[in-house]
């Protein structure tokens, strides 16, 4: 852990007995000792997050570092979802400065008083990147929270909680709490994502 990052036993989602990671947005972060997924192959990353206040600037919750860029970044972006603000996942096509990135966005955001379950799934065989919030893949007439022809590079650095790397610099520090983070090799189905999000069965209004 870096900065003032710490684990608070009372801060977890639904009182998680392991506690949760608390970050102040001023350089705090946590990282693994090495990569946890291959970002050029199929993978999924998910976790529960809450903010100290609705972010007014891009703020990252999960990423995995390369030399220059993160192989993927999951963030809240105030300009996402047609300017309304929402969750976003970004995958650059290379580890070079100025690399073109593919993005998927989701307008769901509850409030700083509530938790959001945020998950991404990258399918390297189909070249598809998907973003789920609270178990759902958002679809509207104008926008689908999945982008085709997404080809990632293999970011071989550690998994990062609470920050990301762009053009060789760390930034977008998260202010809030992160809990119950899972990372998987391979593709997860929507039903599996919903299990991680706490559903024991599909809600009655599920379209699936």
């Amino acid at each position: 852990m870096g900065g003032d990052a710490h684990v608070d036993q009372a801060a977890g989602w639904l009182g998680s007995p392991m506690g949760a990671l608390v970050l102040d947005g001023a350089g705090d972060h946590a990282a693994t000792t090495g990569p946890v997924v291959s970002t050029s192959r199929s993978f999924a990353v998910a976790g529960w997050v809450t903010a100290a206040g609705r972010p007014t600037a891009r703020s990252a919750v999960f990423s995995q570092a390369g030399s220059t860029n993160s192989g993927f970044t999951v963030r809240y972006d105030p300009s996402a979802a047609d300017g309304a603000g929402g969750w976003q996942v970004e995958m650059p096509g290379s580890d070079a400065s100025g690399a073109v990135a593919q993005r998927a966005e989701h307008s769901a955001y509850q409030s700083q008083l509530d938790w959001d379950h945020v998950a991404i799934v990258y399918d390297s065989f189909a070249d598809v990147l998907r973003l789920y919030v609270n178990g759902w893949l958002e679809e509207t007439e104008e926008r689908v929270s999945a982008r085709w022809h997404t080809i990632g590079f293999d970011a071989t650095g550690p998994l990062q909680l609470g920050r990301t790397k762009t053009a060789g610099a760390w930034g977008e520090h998260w202010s809030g709490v992160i809990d119950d983070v899972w990372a998987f090799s391979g593709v997860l189905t929507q039903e599996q994502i919903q299990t991680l999000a706490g559903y024991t069965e599909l809600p009655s209004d599920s379209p699936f």
Side-chain angles (χ1 to χ4, degrees):
M1 288 186 281
D4 297 320
H6 64 281
V7 172
D8 186 334
Q9 298 297 325
W13 175 73
L14 288 183
S16 169
M18 298 297 291
L21 180 67
V22 179
L23 308 170
D24 67 7
D28 288 6
H29 64 278
T32 58
T33 56
V36 298
V37 295
S38 173
T39 56
S40 63
R41 300 181 180 182
S42 298
F43 71 91
V45 176
W48 287 96
V49 297
T50 187
R54 194 176 186 108
T56 57
R58 283 184 168 189
S59 300
V61 288
F62 316 131
S63 68
Q64 185 163 297
S67 297
T68 303
N69 300 318
S70 291
F72 73 89
T73 299
V74 181
R75 62 165 66 95
Y76 180 87
D77 186 345
S79 66
D82 297 330
W87 293 104
Q88 180 185 85
V89 57
E90 178 179 86
M91 288 189 71
S94 74
D95 199 16
S97 295
V100 176
Q102 294 289 334
R103 298 181 181 91
E105 297 180 347
H106 202 300
S107 62
Y109 179 84
Q110 297 190 79
S111 76
Q112 61 267 27
L113 301 177
D114 296 305
W115 291 81
D116 278 331
H117 185 267
V118 183
I120 64 164
V121 176
Y122 175 54
D123 185 339
S124 64
F125 294 99
D127 296 339
V128 176
L129 178 64
R130 294 186 174 93
L131 172 62
Y132 297 85
V133 179
N134 300 319
W136 299 105
L137 182 72
E138 181 179 63
E139 296 184 359
T140 69
E141 292 181 359
E142 298 84 15
R143 178 178 62 254
V144 178
S145 292
R147 295 299 170 94
W148 297 86
H149 309 303
T150 301
I151 301 176
F153 71 91
D154 194 13
T156 58
L159 179 72
Q160 304 285 327
L161 303 182
R163 68 176 183 174
T164 190
K165 182 186 282 186
T166 304
W170 295 108
E172 301 187 22
H173 291 88
W174 183 257
S175 178
V177 185
I178 300 175
D179 193 18
D180 199 36
V181 179
W182 292 75
F184 302 85
S185 295
V187 175
L188 296 188
T189 65
Q190 175 145 326
E191 289 76 11
Q192 290 170 320
I193 293 294
Q194 289 177 335
T195 297
L196 290 174
Y199 294 117
T200 56
E201 61 183 30
L202 290 179
S204 59
D205 61 349
S206 168
F208 299 94

